[in-house]
Amino acid sequence: MFRKALLTTAAAIAMLALSSVARADTINFGPGQFGSTATVTNYSLSGNTFTFTLTNTSSTGSITAVGFNLPGTNRGDFTLATTTDSDFKLREEVRAQAGGQQFASTYDFALLTGKNFGGGSVAAGLGAGTSGTFTITGDFSGLTADQIARAIALRFQGINPGDQSEVIHPGAIPEPMTMLLFGTGLAGVAARARKRRSAKA
C-alpha cells in the first residue's frame, strides 16, 4: 500500500514537472512589501522580437516602469515596436535606481512613464486591474522567451493611501528539473523498498 502511494505521488510530481516545461505561459510577480502583484502572460520570442502582456493584479498602485536586466552584455539598440499603452517609452541603459532601492547597476532597457526608473507618473502607469501589451525588437540572441520575461523588474507607485512605492520581481517557483528529480528520487525510494521486501520474502 505504501509503495503504491509513493509511486503514485512520484508519477504525479513527474507529470507536473513535465507540464511546467511545456506550459510556462504565466509568470507571477510579487507579492512585494506592500502587497504589489502582477503577471506577465502571452510572452513569446520570434527572432529578435519579444512580445508580452503585463497585468497589474494589485488592488492599488500603478506600474510606472518596467526594467529588463538581461543576461550578457553589449546587446546594442532596442526599439518599442508596438504598444497598447503609449504612455510608456523605451529607454536604453537605464540606471536601476528607485529611491533607496537599487537592484542592478543598469537595465539593458526599460519602459518608462517618466524620465527615469525611479520616477514616472502614477496616472500614466498601468493601474490596478489593467493590462498592456508590448512588442520589443533588439538583440535577444542566446535567450529564451522565459529568460527574458524573468529578467523583468516592475516599479510600483501610489500604493495604498500612504502612497508607498516598491520594486518587485518574479516570484520564486520550483524549477521543472528540480521537481522531476524529486519525483525520480521518490520512485527510487519506492523501488528500493520493494526490493527489500522481496529479499525478506
Side-chain angles (χ1 to χ4, degrees):
M1 185 69 179
F2 173 73
R3 181 175 60 87
K4 280 186 179 180
L6 203 55
L7 286 173
T8 302
T9 304
I13 290 173
M15 288 176 68
L16 175 66
L18 291 174
S19 69
S20 296
V21 171
R23 189 180 57 80
D25 54 4
T26 299
I27 295 179
N28 296 305
F29 285 72
Q33 179 183 357
F34 300 113
S36 301
T37 59
T39 61
V40 166
T41 57
N42 303 321
Y43 57 92
S44 64
L45 179 63
S46 178
N48 283 326
T49 302
F50 178 67
T51 301
F52 69 103
T53 297
L54 174 62
T55 303
N56 180 349
T57 56
S58 300
S59 58
T60 67
S62 291
I63 299 171
T64 58
V66 183
F68 288 76
N69 186 28
L70 301 175
T73 56
N74 303 321
R75 291 192 170 271
D77 295 329
F78 292 89
T79 304
L80 180 58
T82 63
T83 176
T84 58
D85 190 327
S86 59
D87 290 317
F88 284 88
K89 309 296 182 193
L90 187 143
R91 300 285 184 269
E92 296 172 348
E93 296 298 311
V94 175
R95 188 169 177 229
Q97 182 77 32
Q101 301 171 314
Q102 186 160 339
F103 298 94
S105 55
T106 56
Y107 292 119
D108 295 85
F109 62 91
L111 302 173
L112 307 176
T113 58
K115 293 182 179 179
N116 53 54
F117 188 76
S121 166
V122 173
L126 287 177
T130 63
S131 300
T133 299
F134 306 90
T135 300
I136 298 161
T137 59
D139 181 8
F140 293 111
S141 57
L143 300 175
T144 65
D146 200 62
Q147 285 176 309
I148 299 167
R150 292 187 184 281
I152 293 174
L154 303 175
R155 165 76 164 157
F156 276 80
Q157 294 187 79
I159 306 166
N160 301 320
D163 195 31
Q164 290 105 338
S165 61
E166 63 185 348
V167 177
I168 64 171
H169 299 83
I173 61 165
E175 293 183 11
M177 287 309 296
T178 302
M179 296 293 286
L180 190 58
L181 287 171
F182 180 64
T184 305
L186 282 178
V189 169
R192 184 170 177 162
R194 181 179 181 189
K195 188 174 181 182
R196 241 187 203 168
R197 284 183 185 162
S198 297
K200 284 182 180 179

